[in-house]
Amino acid sequence: MPQSATANILSILETDFSGIIEEWLGTQVKEGVKRSDLFSDSESRAQNRELLQAFAKGIRAGVADDKFSLEDESWEDLRAVLADVSKERVSRGVTPTEMATFILALKEPLFKRLEVKLSSDHGGLIRDVLLVTRLVDAFAIYTNEIFISERDQIIERQRQEMLELSTPVVELWDRVLTLPLIGTLDSARAQEVMENLLETILERQAEVVIMDITGVGTVDTQVAQHLLRAAAAVRLMGAECIISGISPMIAQTMVQLGIDVGTVSTRSSIRTALSDALLKVGYVIKTTEAA
């Protein structure tokens, strides 16, 4: 009696497990996705071995009448190994395309062994090749989903870290803070700026805050509104806000847009803003000769 497709696939996996791993690695090299610059041969071989073991276990318990779902409990080990391998590969800079091709390279060694095993059973060969194709394709698609999810998490963490680094609140003097802004100021970053600023005002008992926009390339209506809202929040905290770094171009743009800064103090440079801020808290800068 002819063996089932599942039995044939498991048979070649059990009888030539090491050979399949080596040929899988060879196919990855041929496809240019082995990434020897990122992983040693031993690391690549260990990843292939873990994945193939979990793949075989999933086929054994999770395929019935040529039907399967990688979401089933039977494929839990494969999902766990995939998560670990994907996380490691994302962190080292492997691309989604390389990751998918890395998995799809498993087809070739499986196809070759099925062709030898079923050389006299063309109908069985077609059936088994179709099942292997569906299994490996599902494997690759699921891998890509995990890979992209992991990469998105890393990107989000990096975005949060960049927000924190790009919104430093510095204590220039007793009761005087400065917030140097660089780059663009969108809604998410504006919210981060305001939260950091208000917390630091409370912590340092600041009376004057200098928001320096020298490093902000473009000031449009939205950016101006973010700045003015932050200045209003500073006033509600009992401190005074000075916006410095107003260049002639930015001043002209704000006038053309009809932006009214109201009672918010503005200065062309952080030097003049600092001089005003120190005066407001009772300090005066003098040269040594004048002193």
Side-chain angles (χ1 to χ4, degrees), residues 135-178:
L135 283 165
V136 177
D137 285 351
F139 188 4
I141 291 170
Y142 192 84
T143 300
N144 233 28
E145 290 174 356
I146 294 177
F147 186 94
I148 291 171
S149 175
E150 182 63 33
R151 190 181 64 173
D152 287 346
Q153 291 177 26
I154 290 175
I155 291 172
E156 178 60 23
R157 285 198 300 271
Q158 290 174 339
R159 190 185 72 83
Q160 291 295 332
E161 290 168 359
M162 289 178 65
L163 276 176
E164 292 172 4
L165 290 172
S166 64
T167 56
V169 181
V170 181
E171 186 175 28
L172 285 179
W173 204 268
D174 181 35
R175 294 171 290 154
V176 178
L177 303 177
T178 184

Side-chain angles (χ1 to χ4, degrees), residues 175-249:
R175 294 171 290 154
V176 178
L177 303 177
T178 184
L179 175 66
L181 296 172
I182 300 173
T184 58
L185 190 65
D186 57 16
S187 298
R189 190 179 176 205
Q191 183 64 31
E192 185 77 17
V193 165
M194 192 176 297
E195 289 177 3
N196 287 351
L197 184 56
L198 298 183
E199 288 175 6
T200 309
I201 289 172
L202 183 62
E203 178 186 343
R204 301 291 184 177
Q205 294 297 296
E207 295 181 12
V208 184
V209 174
I210 302 171
M211 286 197 297
D212 185 63
I213 62 171
T214 304
V216 177
T218 304
V219 174
D220 55 18
T221 304
Q222 184 181 32
V223 171
Q225 291 302 322
H226 289 321
L227 293 172
L228 295 178
R229 277 195 289 269
V234 168
R235 285 198 301 273
L236 289 174
M237 292 290 292
E240 186 172 342
C241 183
I242 301 173
I243 299 178
S244 68
I246 304 291
S247 68
M249 183 178 296

Side-chain angles (χ1 to χ4, degrees), residues 13-81:
L13 284 170
E14 290 168 357
T15 57
D16 196 11
F17 187 85
S18 297
I20 291 172
I21 288 177
E22 293 305 316
E23 192 168 336
W24 187 10
L25 286 168
T27 307
Q28 291 167 31
V29 172
K30 185 170 62 177
E31 296 291 339
V33 295
K34 185 173 178 291
R35 296 307 302 268
S36 298
D37 56 325
L38 302 177
F39 297 91
S40 66
D41 286 347
S42 60
E43 286 178 312
S44 296
R45 194 168 279 103
Q47 287 184 350
N48 279 258
R49 184 178 296 106
E50 283 188 289
L51 286 169
L52 196 58
Q53 286 173 341
F55 186 56
K57 183 177 179 180
I59 293 173
R60 187 176 293 106
V63 179
D65 298 326
D66 294 350
K67 296 179 181 179
F68 63 92
S69 171
L70 295 189
E71 300 290 344
D72 290 345
E73 186 177 347
S74 306
W75 297 91
E76 184 177 357
D77 283 1
L78 179 63
R79 294 196 300 270
V81 175

Side-chain angles (χ1 to χ4, degrees), residues 1-11 63 65-68 110-111 114-115 117-135:
M1 177 182 290
Q3 286 188 309
S4 67
T6 303
N8 287 329
I9 296 169
L10 287 173
S11 174
V63 179
D65 298 326
D66 294 350
K67 296 179 181 179
F68 63 92
L110 295 179
F111 286 168
L114 284 173
E115 184 179 14
K117 184 177 182 63
L118 300 171
S119 58
S120 60
D121 183 3
H122 298 297
L125 177 60
I126 293 172
R127 177 201 63 194
D128 290 9
V129 165
L130 288 175
L131 179 57
V132 167
T133 300
R134 289 171 52 223
L135 283 165

